[in-house]
Amino acid sequence: MEKLSPTSGWPVHGQGSIRTLESQRQALSPTPLMQMAGLVTAQLALAMAPHCQRIWVAAGPGNNGGDGLEAALNLHQWGKSVRVSLMGQASKLPADAFAARQRAHEAGVQITSEPPEQWLQEMGPLDLCIDALLGIGATRPLSANMQSWVQIINRSRALVLAIDVPTGLNPESGQLLGGETDTSLLVKASQTLTFIAAKPGLFMGHGRDACGQIWLETLGHPSEVSSLPAQALLNMVWLQAPKTHASHKGSHGDVAVIGGEAMASRGMGMTGAAVLAASAALHAGAGRIMLSLLSGQASESAPPDLMQRDWRQLDLEHLHVVCGCGGGEAVRPVLPAVLQRSAQLVLDADGLNALAQSKALQGLLRQRAASQPTVITPHPLEAARLLQTSTAQVQSHRLKAAQDLAALFNCTVVLKGSGTVIATPEETPRINTSGNGRLATGGTGDVLAGLIGARMAQGLSPFDAACSAVAQHGQLASDWPEGQALTASRLARRLC
């Protein structure tokens, strides 16, 4: 059993690969996989709640319910007080699950068709609920009866262990099953034990909130997981090129930040966004940072370490450019030159909105050669505009959306959100596992854009720079001091 940490770099597989690996394991193993899964579940259950007085197993009508029944059998044989509520008719269970039900019944495990209400009311924080309602094959919205059981689990004071995937979660996307939006219909697990291989939805969308600590049991040798190409890899620890004693400011790259529309343009002054991006590049250790505000005026609030220049005076061909932060409508006339001339480019925010509305600008982005690498950093709505689809479609297929954008524009893509996806042509995409809801505040995306620009200026490839910056950006939020508000300006100052 492997504890999946934010720095594990573990491969992630979709449902098709999982089924193939499952068949391979079953053909090679003398022990049925369901019995193996049930034993490991029981072992983790005891590790989670060693002093529990009551264990309730909510078992569904499929193989996930069979895993729960096998776990209940083991826990009962080890002397624990276990009750199983089995949804649906026993006669309609799949063959392995039916056999597990028979063995549990013959061993004396109490199995009923409804949750034991009085018993559940007596459960405390040392007791345990095991969610074995639905596995990875579910796609439809939960039935009314299933919804009721999920809500019973969530109301319980006991710890919750989800088998394979928390009920209500789409294991492919991290969204709610069937496009639901009510998060009360999603089991909130203390820990999740997933089998065969890690699933992408555990690390994206609502999966980040629902799964708790994630454990992986491959039910075989870990090397077998790599027999099929991974759909994605978990993003690993951030990288940074060290500053040597013999280096100087020119050794660590020049970053130019172009953005910041004036208040007079549309009554929405956004110079702060560009200042935040430049401040991030500064604190991340880039050699020299030039701030070019589209307002046409110098910023009095910008750190004195920044050089302020009119963008038309910049030698774009030799600069790592971060463009779009707070750019508003003023960024549109700037983009043709930025796209054609910038040596390396991070395109964010209003730069992406302008790109989505102009086929000509999209053509210029595609024409940037390998010698002019680009990173784009859309959030789901910006990605939907670029792909001419809906935000819901992007969120339901985050890995595909990021890869489609990377292929469309031949660039590196950072699709932001819960479980940020980093994709580029010819590379396995990464799913980032650091970060939390503290980042849901204005300006943190500008900080990320500036950080990516700094890492590119320091010599990392666009893909490595994006992976490194996203990991570090998230980890700072994960490590943020309790009781202190995370603001974008504070976040920028903590970069190094």
Side-chain angles (χ1 to χ4, degrees):
M1 194 186 311
E2 177 95 10
K3 183 178 182 179
L4 296 185
S5 69
T7 59
S8 63
W10 203 267
V12 171
H13 289 268
Q15 188 169 335
S17 294
I18 298 288
R19 296 303 188 201
T20 300
L21 291 167
E22 190 175 50
S23 297
Q24 292 175 356
R25 303 284 169 79
Q26 191 66 77
L28 294 172
S29 175
T31 304
L33 293 185
M34 189 172 289
Q35 292 183 29
M36 295 171 63
L39 175 60
V40 176
T41 300
Q43 291 169 340
L44 181 56
L46 281 189
M48 284 180 63
H51 306 296
C52 62
Q53 299 298 311
R54 301 170 183 82
I55 299 175
W56 176 47
V57 179
N63 285 325
N64 197 251
D67 294 339
L69 286 161
E70 290 286 357
L73 171 59
N74 283 287
L75 291 164
H76 173 77
Q77 292 174 336
W78 296 342
K80 288 297 181 181
S81 178
V82 185
R83 295 193 183 183
V84 177
S85 299
L86 178 61
M87 184 175 290
Q89 299 179 26
S91 60
K92 294 185 178 180
L93 287 170
D96 287 348
F98 182 81
R101 189 262 180 201
Q102 290 298 102
R103 283 194 299 275
H105 175 71
E106 292 168 3
V109 177
Q110 294 190 47
I111 304 173
T112 61
S113 60
E114 295 293 335
E117 293 185 12
Q118 182 61 40
W119 207 64
L120 289 171
Q121 290 175 8
E122 296 171 357
M123 294 180 75
L126 297 180
D127 294 323
L128 182 68
C129 293
I130 297 180
D131 167 25
L133 289 172
L134 288 178
I136 64 172
T139 57
R140 293 179 297 180
L142 303 183
S143 66
N145 199 25
M146 189 82 72
Q147 291 179 17
S148 174
W149 285 31
V150 165
Q151 291 168 338
I152 290 171
I153 293 173
N154 288 337
R155 286 197 301 267
S156 171
R157 294 181 297 155
L159 297 169
V160 178
L161 171 59
I163 297 181
D164 217 10
V165 60
T167 296
L169 183 72
N170 186 318
E172 296 288 304
S173 67
Q175 301 303 300
L176 302 188
L177 287 176
E180 292 281 0
T181 58
D182 183 357
T183 56
S184 71
L185 306 181
L186 172 64
V187 165
K188 309 300 190 304
S190 311
Q191 302 195 37
T192 296
L193 174 60
T194 197
F195 299 124
I196 306 294
K199 290 85 179 172
L202 304 183
F203 307 96
M204 298 191 294
H206 297 289
R208 297 289 305 280
D209 295 315
C211 292
Q213 174 60 55
I214 301 172
W215 298 82
L216 170 64
E217 172 54 53
T218 62
L219 303 179
H221 299 293
S223 59
E224 292 179 8
V225 173
S226 61
S227 65
L228 293 175
Q231 185 177 11
L233 299 173
L234 300 186
N235 194 30
M236 296 186 69
V237 68
W238 57 275
L239 306 169
Q240 180 183 1
K243 289 191 173 183
T244 62
H245 289 288
S247 65
H248 52 83
K249 62 185 179 182
S251 306
H252 303 287
D254 295 339
V255 175
V257 176
I258 302 174
E261 184 180 56
M263 176 73 78
S265 297
R266 294 180 299 142
M268 295 175 60
M270 297 186 290
T271 57
V275 173
L276 283 169
S279 180
L282 171 69
H283 289 287
R288 292 176 295 195
I289 296 90
M290 283 149 274
L291 174 62
S292 297
L293 295 176
L294 299 175
S295 65
Q297 297 178 344
S299 170
E300 296 181 359
S301 64
D305 319 69
L306 304 178
M307 295 179 284
Q308 300 196 48
R309 299 282 190 274
D310 187 303
W311 76 269
R312 287 162 292 198
Q313 298 174 349
L314 298 176
D315 186 9
L316 296 176
E317 287 81 0
H318 297 93
L319 291 172
H320 302 81
V321 177
V322 178
C323 183
C325 301
E329 297 293 331
V331 78
R332 294 175 186 271
V334 173
L335 279 177
V338 167
L339 288 166
Q340 290 174 303
R341 295 171 51 201
S342 300
Q344 297 197 42
L345 176 62
V346 179
L347 196 60
D348 184 48
D350 289 317
L352 298 174
N353 292 329
L355 187 72
Q357 297 175 25
S358 171
K359 296 295 184 183
L361 292 177
Q362 293 175 27
L364 291 178
L365 176 54
R366 293 190 190 94
Q367 290 169 20
R368 288 178 61 83
S371 59
Q372 291 178 291
T374 305
V375 178
I376 64 174
T377 58
H379 56 55
L381 177 57
E382 291 163 348
R385 289 169 178 159
L386 290 167
L387 291 170
Q388 297 184 332
T389 185
S390 66
T391 304
Q393 279 293 104
V394 169
Q395 291 293 73
S396 296
H397 307 279
R398 285 178 58 80
L399 282 167
K400 184 178 185 300
Q403 289 175 295
D404 286 349
L405 282 171
L408 180 62
F409 296 118
N410 192 30
C411 67
T412 296
V413 175
V414 175
L415 178 55
K416 296 182 287 192
S418 176
T420 292
V421 177
I422 307 102
T424 202
E426 309 302 326
E427 287 279 356
T428 303
R430 304 295 195 269
I431 300 175
N432 194 62
T433 56
S434 63
N436 52 43
R438 290 190 179 98
L439 291 171
T441 188
T444 58
D446 304 309
V447 171
L448 177 60
L451 178 56
I452 295 171
R455 294 290 174 250
M456 292 171 71
Q458 291 164 334
L460 294 183
S461 71
F463 185 64
D464 286 344
C467 290
S468 172
V470 169
Q472 182 184 8
H473 187 259
Q475 194 59 46
L476 285 172
S478 298
D479 297 338
W480 202 260
E482 291 294 334
Q484 182 183 113
L486 188 156
T487 64
S489 57
R490 285 176 175 171
L491 183 67
R493 289 194 294 269
R494 295 214 179 188
L495 298 170
C496 61

